[in-house]
Amino acid sequence: MSDKLSPEEREKKKLPPEDESHFSEEQQKELLQKYDPESNTRDLSGIIKHVVFFGLLAFSLFQLYTAIFGQYTAYIQRSVHLGFALSLIFILFPLRRRKGARHKVAWYDYIFALLSIGVGAYWPIMYDDLVFRIGRVTELDLIVGILAVILTLEATRRAVGMPITVIGILFLTYGFFGPYFPGFMRHRGQDLESLIQLMFYTTDGILGTPIGVSATFIFTFLLFGSFLVKTGVGQYFNDLAVSLAGNLTGGPAKVAIFSSALQGTISGSSVANVVTSGSYTIPMMKKLGYKKEFAGGVEAAASTGGQLMPPIMGAAAFLMVEFIGGVTYWEIAKAAAIPALLYFTGVWIMTHFEAKRIGLKGLSPEEMPDRKEVLKKIYLLTPILAIIVFLLIGIPTMQAALYGILLTIFVSAFNKETRLGFKDIIHALVDGARTALAVAAATATAGIIVGVVVKTGLGLSLANGLVSASGGNVLLTLFFTMLAAIVLGMGSPTTANYVITSTIAAPAIITLLMVDEPAGAAVPIVVALSAHLFVFYFGIIADITPPVALAAFAASGISGGEPIRTGFNAAKLAIAAFIIPYMFVLSPELLMIDTTWTQLIWVLITAITGMIAIGAGLIGYWYRKLNWLERIITFVTGIALIYPEGFTDLIGAAVFIVLFVIQWMSRDKKTSKAQTA
C-alpha cells in the first residue's frame, strides 16, 4: 500500500479524495498474507473446503476432549497434535506465495498431507512395540522419523517462515556433522539413526517440551482467544480505548497504545495485532496530523508490546513454566506485569511529547463515542479478568482456560449483538484450530533445536563463548546477548521466538549471574526469570527492529509510509524495551520477587521519571522545544535515573528537578493551556 497516490497526485489526475478512514477487510487480508506467514493460506472451495473445515473442527474437539477428560501419554498426545497440524498445513498453505496457487491444492500437497497423517498416527498405532524396543530403531522407524523431520521443516517454512526453518536445518546439520566443526563448536556428532531416534523417538526432539506445551496449554488459550474474538471484543477494545483516551493530547496515538495493549491479551502475533487495530487507529492518527511513518511506528510499537503483556504474552508464558521449572504460571505473569506497564508508559510518554511538539489536540466531542454506551459493554472483559483470578487462586492453567471459554459463552448471552449461537461456537472452534497450526509447526521445529542443544551441550558452549567474549563484564554480556536475541528473533512468531532465544541466548546470562556460585548449584528463580524475560523481550522487539521489522512493514502498508523509516520510528518509541530488560536483570525488584513495597515503589518512581526524561530527549520537546544540548542532557539524566544504582538515582533526580523547573518556567504558554495529558 506504499504505492498509494498522494492527495496532490490524486488532485492532478482529477481523482476523488481517498477515504483513509476505512481500511477494508480485503486490504487487511492482503497485508496479513504479505507480512504474516501464518495468514498466507489458500482460499479453498468445494469439497476440500468442507474437508478442511471438519478437519480443523476435529482438531479442536480432540484437544478439548483431552483437556476435559485427561491427556494421553506424551508420545500419543503430541504425535496426534503434530499429525493434525502438519496435514492441515499442507492443504491450507501453498508451496509458494503465488496468487494462482491460492484457489486449488496441488497434487503433491495431498501426498504430503497423507504422509503427515501417517506420521501422526505412527506412535498411537505402534505405541506398545515402540516402547518395548525403546532405544532400537527399525528400518520402518527410520523412514517414518526422516519423514517426520522433513515434513515438519517444510510445514514450518510454509506456515511460519524461513528464519526458524533455516535455524532448524543448521542445528540438524550441527548435530550430524559435529566432529567437523572448529574450536568450542566441536562435539562428537551422531550417525543418522541416532539423530532420527533423538528427533522423533524421544521427548527431546520434535515431540519435546515445546510441542507438548502447544498440545495442552497453548491450544486451549488460543481457543479462549478465538471465542473472545467471536463476541466482538476486538472492536470493543477500540471503542473502549477511544472513549477513554480519544480526547487527550494526540488522542488517536494513545488510542492505538491502549487498544493494542488490550489486543495483546488475546493475540499471539505482532503483525496480526498491527493489522487488526492499526486499520482503525492509523487512519485516525494521520487525519489528526501525525506523519505517516510516525503513525505507523506508534501502532507497530504498541502492537509488538502486546506480546509482552500478561496474562497471555503471546503464549510464551506457558513455555516459560516448562523451561524454567519450579515456577508457576502466576509467578511469571506477575513478574512480567511491571516491565510491560513500563514499556507502554514509555510509548505513551513519547507520543504525548510528539503531539505537543507539533501542536496536536485530541478528538473533538463530535468524534467521540458515547462513553456511557461503551461502558455498558464492559462485561465483555469479564472472561479476561476471570482468567487472571482463576490463575491467582491456583486453578490449573488448562482448567482456567476451559472455564474462560464457558464464561465467554455465558457472558456473550447478555446482549443480542454479542450472543454466541451454535454456529458461532463451531466457527470459534475452527478458527482456534486454524490459529494453532503455525504454533504447532513452530514448536515442533523448536523441538529440533532444543534437542540438538541439549544433546550436544551447544547452549553451554555458546554461553561460555559469550561470557568469554565480554571478559565477564555484566553489561557487555547483556549487550552481546541482546544482539543474539534480536537476530534470532527476526521473522519468528512469539512462541518459536522464545524457544530459540531461551535455548541459545539465555544460558549466557544465567552463566554470568551464577559465576560465583558452586558448580551444580540450583539456579534461583529470580536469576532464571531475569534471563528468560531478557531474551524474550529482545526476541519480540525484533519485530520492530530494522531491517526485518515485520510489524513496522505491516504498519507502513496501512499508513502508506516508508517501511524502514516506520521501523526506526517504532524502535525509537519502543526505547523502553531496549532499557527495561537491563533494569530487571540488574535490579530484580521490578519482577516483584523477594522485594519490599518500598523498594518496588522507589524503582517505579525512578523508572517512570527516567522514561519522561528519555522521551523528552528523543522527541526534542518537554514543556517547550529543546535544543540539542538540552536533549543530550535530558536523555543522559533519564539513563541515570533508570540505571539501578542509588548514586546515579540521586544525581539523576537532582538534575531532573532542575530541568523540570527550567522547562516549567520557560514553557510554551500558548499550547500548555490547550493541551492536557
Side-chain angles (χ1 to χ4, degrees):
M1 308 331 155
S2 56
D3 57 350
K4 286 181 181 177
L5 296 177
S6 67
E8 294 79 13
E9 290 170 324
R10 296 186 72 84
E11 189 175 344
K12 283 180 185 178
K13 295 187 177 187
K14 297 183 179 180
L15 294 172
E18 187 174 15
D19 180 13
E20 294 191 328
S21 64
H22 179 68
F23 203 77
S24 70
E25 288 186 15
E26 190 60 35
Q27 289 173 304
Q28 291 180 41
K29 185 177 179 181
E30 186 180 334
L31 261 185
L32 282 170
Q33 289 180 336
K34 185 175 182 181
Y35 295 112
D36 184 15
E38 297 177 32
S39 302
N40 185 38
T41 56
R42 292 179 168 114
D43 296 319
L44 300 174
S45 59
I47 294 175
I48 191 62
K49 179 180 180 180
H50 296 297
V51 170
V52 169
F53 182 89
F54 286 108
L56 291 167
L57 180 60
F59 192 10
S60 278
L61 292 176
F62 167 77
Q63 293 293 154
L64 279 179
Y65 176 83
T66 56
I68 296 168
F69 298 106
Q71 302 166 41
Y72 294 104
T73 61
Y75 288 112
I76 294 177
Q77 178 79 17
R78 298 171 189 183
S79 62
V80 171
H81 183 79
L82 179 70
F84 266 118
L86 296 186
S87 58
L88 288 164
I89 285 171
F90 285 116
I91 299 298
L92 276 170
F93 291 81
L95 181 69
R96 289 186 294 274
R97 295 189 179 190
R98 292 180 305 159
K99 287 191 176 180
R102 294 192 188 282
H103 301 290
K104 61 179 181 179
V105 181
W107 62 268
Y108 49 78
D109 282 336
Y110 286 114
I111 295 174
F112 289 153
L114 290 172
L115 289 173
S116 298
I117 293 171
V119 165
Y122 194 69
W123 261 104
I125 293 171
M126 303 290 290
Y127 181 77
D128 291 336
D129 193 32
L130 288 169
V131 170
F132 177 75
R133 52 183 170 76
I134 194 78
R136 290 184 294 113
V137 178
T138 66
E139 190 174 336
L140 180 60
D141 294 343
L142 188 63
I143 293 170
V144 173
I146 291 171
L147 278 174
V149 172
I150 294 171
L151 292 171
T152 295
L153 290 170
E154 171 57 14
T156 303
R157 184 194 67 81
R158 295 189 188 195
V160 184
M162 279 299 292
I164 183 176
T165 310
V166 170
I167 293 173
I169 293 170
L170 289 175
F171 272 76
L172 269 178
T173 305
Y174 174 72
F176 189 71
F177 293 104
Y180 305 101
F181 277 74
F184 75 93
M185 293 286 286
R186 184 179 287 119
H187 75 96
R188 230 177 14 170
Q190 295 178 294
D191 57 49
L192 182 62
E193 184 177 307
S194 300
L195 189 62
I196 294 303
Q197 182 186 355
L198 171 69
M199 288 297 110
F200 195 63
Y201 298 102
T202 72
T203 52
D204 288 326
I206 290 173
L207 302 181
T209 298
I211 200 170
V213 177
S214 172
T216 52
F217 309 127
I218 293 178
F219 196 100
T220 48
F221 268 87
L222 289 176
L223 277 182
F224 169 62
S226 179
F227 274 86
L228 277 176
V229 169
K230 282 294 178 185
T231 66
V233 74
Q235 181 58 45
Y236 182 68
F237 286 154
N238 290 334
D239 295 341
L240 181 63
V242 172
S243 68
L244 296 177
N247 61 342
L248 303 180
T249 301
K254 292 173 181 175
V255 168
I257 298 166
F258 195 176
S259 174
S260 295
L262 291 171
Q263 289 280 4
T265 62
I266 60 172
S267 170
S269 165
S270 301
V271 174
N273 201 351
V274 165
V275 175
T276 302
S277 57
S279 59
Y280 178 72
T281 59
I282 289 175
M284 285 173 58
M285 285 188 267
K286 288 172 63 181
K287 184 179 178 181
L288 188 69
Y290 282 107
K291 291 182 178 178
K292 295 176 182 179
E293 288 80 11
F294 191 84
V298 170
E299 182 57 54
S303 291
T304 300
Q307 307 307 296
L308 308 172
M309 176 62 73
I312 306 299
M313 296 169 63
F318 310 115
L319 285 163
M320 282 189 200
V321 173
E322 300 296 323
F323 276 42
I324 294 174
V327 61
T328 65
Y329 175 86
W330 175 248
E331 286 175 312
I332 290 171
K334 185 180 75 170
I338 289 179
L341 289 174
L342 285 176
Y343 173 87
F344 282 104
T345 300
V347 180
W348 184 286
I349 287 167
M350 293 181 73
T351 54
H352 176 70
F353 285 148
E354 175 68 9
K356 290 184 68 176
R357 186 183 71 82
I358 58 180
L360 301 182
K361 299 180 182 179
L363 298 177
S364 65
E366 294 76 24
E367 296 173 297
M368 291 287 291
D370 186 333
R371 187 171 293 178
K372 288 182 179 178
E373 289 299 316
V374 172
L375 291 178
K376 282 181 181 178
K377 292 185 180 180
I378 196 74
Y379 63 85
L380 288 174
L381 302 184
T382 305
I384 297 173
L385 299 175
I387 284 280
I388 297 172
V389 174
F390 294 155
L391 295 170
L392 176 61
I393 62 177
I395 291 176
T397 309
M398 283 179 66
Q399 201 172 334
L402 290 172
Y403 290 162
I405 292 170
L406 293 174
L407 187 59
T408 302
I409 296 171
F410 174 73
V411 164
S412 74
F414 292 172
N415 189 303
K416 188 177 179 181
E417 295 177 10
T418 62
R419 190 172 299 140
L420 297 180
F422 179 75
K423 189 176 179 180
D424 295 316
I425 291 171
I426 295 298
H427 279 278
L429 291 171
V430 169
D431 292 344
R434 188 186 293 264
T435 305
L437 296 180
V439 176
T443 50
T445 297
I448 292 175
I449 297 166
V450 173
V452 173
V453 169
V454 171
K455 191 71 175 179
T456 63
L458 179 61
L460 185 59
S461 298
L462 290 173
N464 290 332
L466 281 173
V467 173
S468 297
S470 65
N473 181 281
V474 176
L475 287 176
L476 267 181
T477 302
L478 292 177
F479 178 73
F480 290 150
T481 307
M482 174 191 76
L483 294 180
I486 290 175
V487 171
L488 290 168
M490 286 182 173
S492 296
T494 304
T495 46
N497 189 322
Y498 167 69
V499 173
I500 296 168
T501 55
S502 63
T503 303
I504 299 173
I509 301 174
I510 294 173
T511 300
L512 182 71
L513 297 179
M514 295 289 290
V515 71
D516 295 327
E517 300 295 325
V523 179
I525 288 177
V526 67
V527 170
L529 261 178
S530 298
H532 282 253
L533 283 173
F534 184 92
V535 298
F536 175 62
Y537 258 67
F538 286 113
I540 294 300
I541 291 305
D543 278 347
I544 52 171
T545 305
V548 178
L550 288 181
F553 274 65
S556 69
I558 301 173
S559 69
E562 203 281 318
I564 296 296
R565 287 182 186 173
T566 302
F568 279 114
N569 271 292
K572 181 176 74 172
L573 288 164
I575 188 68
F578 292 91
I579 297 171
I580 291 168
Y582 287 88
M583 288 176 61
F584 58 63
V585 170
L586 299 172
S587 181
E589 291 89 354
L590 278 178
L591 302 181
M592 292 191 283
I593 299 175
D594 298 330
T595 187
T596 65
W597 281 106
T598 306
Q599 291 173 316
L600 182 61
I601 290 169
W602 174 250
V603 169
L604 278 174
I605 290 172
T606 56
I608 292 171
T609 51
M611 284 311 307
I612 292 172
I614 287 173
L618 286 174
I619 297 298
Y621 194 98
W622 196 342
Y623 285 100
R624 60 167 172 78
K625 288 186 178 180
L626 304 176
N627 60 44
W628 279 104
L629 179 60
E630 289 174 321
R631 292 179 72 169
I632 293 169
I633 293 171
T634 306
F635 182 83
V636 172
T637 300
I639 295 293
L641 279 164
I642 284 175
Y643 188 78
E645 286 289 341
F647 180 68
T648 57
D649 285 348
L650 290 174
I651 292 176
V655 177
F656 182 89
I657 291 170
V658 172
L659 290 171
F660 174 79
V661 171
I662 292 171
Q663 283 287 310
W664 178 256
M665 296 296 290
S666 59
R667 68 190 182 279
D668 185 345
K669 295 180 180 178
K670 289 182 181 179
T671 58
S672 63
K673 289 180 181 178
Q675 296 170 338
T676 61

